[in-house]
């Protein structure tokens, strides 16, 4: 069920930004982070646009002028984050997955079997990308950043990924069904 909540906007570093109280997280994400919610947003963002606020662990899909659906997300671990504007150029149900070269080099005990080959984990319930993935491109090039589901729902509301934005599988399916190829994504 979607609930209505309002949040304020403020200028940050000369740019209008979404101003949210940063949620307090203990061992698990608060229920409000996990639930999809309908919220007010600044009119700076246009319907059909996705805005991600990593510091607040939220992704916003703007549905109408001043309105958005808010989803809790997991974000990149410190040093792995990405900011900017991109476009969804590819969408995949039950995507295959291969760790990036940086992930392989950084964690050879877990990902070493992928070094030097193009082996991919098949899509399905055990795949780290979960039920759906949306691929972000910038200037026609793959950023290797994804908005995707997860096999680790406890990671929502945390800095846990290697750069991607994780969502609960039910939430990523909901978002995936609403956004077309070409959707603009802004990561603040």
């Amino acid at each position: 069920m979607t609930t209505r909540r309002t949040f304020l906007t403020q200028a940050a570093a000369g740019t209008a930004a979404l101003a949210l109280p940063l949620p307090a997280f203990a061992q698990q994400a608060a229920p409000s982070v996990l639930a999809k919610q309908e919220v007010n947003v600044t009119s700076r963002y246009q319907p059909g646009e996705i805005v991600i606020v990593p510091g607040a662990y939220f992704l916003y899909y703007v549905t109408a002028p001043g309105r958005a659906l808010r989803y809790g997300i997991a974000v990149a671990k410190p040093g792995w984050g990405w900011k900017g504007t991109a476009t969804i150029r590819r969408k995949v149900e039950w995507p295959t997955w291969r760790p990036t070269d940086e992930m392989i080099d950084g964690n050879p005990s877990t990902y070493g079997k992928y070094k030097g080959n193009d082996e991919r984990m098949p899509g399905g319930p055990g795949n780290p990308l979960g039920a759906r993935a949306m691929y972000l491109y910038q200037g026609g090039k793959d950023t290797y950043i994804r908005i995707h589901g997860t096999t680790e729902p406890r990671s929502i509301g945390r800095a846990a990924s290697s750069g991607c934005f994780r969502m609960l599988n039910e939430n990523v399916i909901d978002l995936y069904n609403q956004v077309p190829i070409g959707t603009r994504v802004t990561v603040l």
Side-chain angles (χ1 to χ4, degrees), residues 82 85-90 135-146:
W82 179 86
T85 301
T87 303
I88 295 173
R89 296 274 301 267
R90 184 171 173 230
Y135 296 65
L136 303 185
Y137 283 69
Q138 192 174 53
K141 292 186 175 188
D142 189 350
T143 64
Y144 296 97
I145 302 297
R146 315 287 184 242

Side-chain angles (χ1 to χ4, degrees), residues 148-165:
H148 64 78
T150 186
T151 55
E152 299 178 39
R154 289 178 51 110
S155 69
I156 304 303
R158 297 174 182 235
S161 81
S162 296
C164 293
F165 301 101

Side-chain angles (χ1 to χ4, degrees), residues 45-50 61-64 67 178-180 182-185:
Y45 302 108
Q46 301 302 308
E49 182 175 0
I50 292 173
Y61 176 56
V62 182
T63 56
R67 301 296 299 156
Q178 295 182 69
V179 301
T183 296
R184 177 184 167 106
V185 178

Side-chain angles (χ1 to χ4, degrees), residues 31-95:
S32 65
V33 173
L34 300 178
K36 173 177 83 172
Q37 295 182 326
E38 186 177 353
V39 297
N40 292 326
V41 294
T42 176
S43 60
R44 174 176 183 222
Y45 302 108
Q46 301 302 308
E49 182 175 0
I50 292 173
V51 180
I52 299 174
V53 185
Y57 304 97
F58 289 121
L59 177 152
Y60 298 84
Y61 176 56
V62 182
T63 56
R67 301 296 299 156
L69 294 175
R70 183 180 79 179
Y71 301 90
I73 57 173
V75 301
K77 296 176 218 166
W80 289 76
W82 179 86
K83 291 182 180 182
T85 301
T87 303
I88 295 173
R89 296 274 301 267
R90 184 171 173 230
K91 293 171 49 176
V92 179
E93 295 183 19
W94 296 106

